[in-house]
Amino acid sequence: GLSLPKDTLRCLGYHGFCFHSKSCPEPFAAFGTCSWRQKTCCIDTTSNFHTCQDEGGHCVPPEIKCLEEQVGLCPHREWKCCTEV
């Protein structure tokens, strides 16, 4: 396995990139940190990856059942994005 910091792995898992700057270049949006908080994790906002809240949903832990699940990024990888719980 890759011995990368957890925050970096999470960023890559969401198809993000680690930037040295505190702010992300267009069309990227900040989504957490990388390299033990030394860098900013930036996600391409033009792709199909939207944060759950942007899509009007909310993030719930895996043990909660969704009536309606939707696409969206949650801060915790195992969590689901739901419109209705």
Side-chain angles (χ1 to χ4, degrees), residues 4-82:
L4 290 169
K6 267 201 175 84
D7 55 357
T8 302
L9 290 171
R10 191 186 83 170
C11 186
L12 298 174
Y14 283 125
H15 302 273
F17 301 93
C18 298
F19 287 93
H20 280 287
S21 59
K22 287 280 177 248
S23 59
C24 300
E26 290 289 326
F28 293 88
F31 183 75
T33 57
C34 297
S35 306
W36 291 285
R37 300 196 174 145
Q38 299 300 307
K39 298 179 187 173
T40 306
C41 173
C42 300
I43 289 181
D44 184 356
T45 55
T46 59
S47 73
N48 293 326
F49 291 92
H50 297 282
T51 63
C52 183
Q53 284 85 347
D54 285 349
E55 299 296 306
H58 39 258
C59 295
V60 297
E63 59 271 14
I64 291 178
K65 289 263 187 284
C66 285
L67 289 178
E68 202 172 314
E69 206 168 324
Q70 66 178 51
V71 180
L73 295 175
C74 290
H76 308 290
R77 168 170 249 156
E78 301 79 28
W79 287 35
K80 297 177 292 196
C81 184
C82 297

